[in-house]
Amino acid sequence: MIEKKNTGSYYTPSYLANFISKRVLSYFEGRKCISIMEPSVGDGVFVEELSKSNSISIKLTALDINLKELNKASRKWNRKNSSFIKTDFLK
């Protein structure tokens, strides 16, 4: 909890990640491949929602300062074409 407070971590609820992911992907209908960067992936709630899409190939780059959360997120991605990088996006 202290680490979350120190890093300003706030986690998106899954229902909201579902809504946003569907909305974003709707803008790319008809495309075969897109690249997405998630600059603060956390535990991977958006990654999990994006992995459900079968209509488009997604190249994912996911960043987070917290290695433990980054590893959780990487386990939720069931595709190739991804990079999970421990870094501070704000720096």
Side-chain angles (χ1 to χ4, degrees), residues 14 17-18 21 41 43-53 60 72-73 75-79 84:
S14 58
N18 176 280
S21 297
V41 72
D43 63 357
V45 69
F46 282 99
V47 167
E48 188 171 22
E49 292 302 323
L50 291 170
S51 73
K52 294 176 183 177
S53 173
L60 175 70
K72 283 184 197 176
R75 289 191 293 273
K76 293 179 180 180
W77 187 248
N78 58 4
R79 302 175 182 199
F84 288 81

Side-chain angles (χ1 to χ4, degrees), residues 7 12 23 29 38-39 41 44 48-50 56 60-61 65 87-88 90:
T7 61
T12 306
R23 184 79 177 207
E29 285 182 14
E38 166 58 285
V41 72
E48 188 171 22
E49 292 302 323
L50 291 170
I56 192 166
L60 175 70
T61 302
I65 195 169
T87 189
D88 185 345
L90 297 176

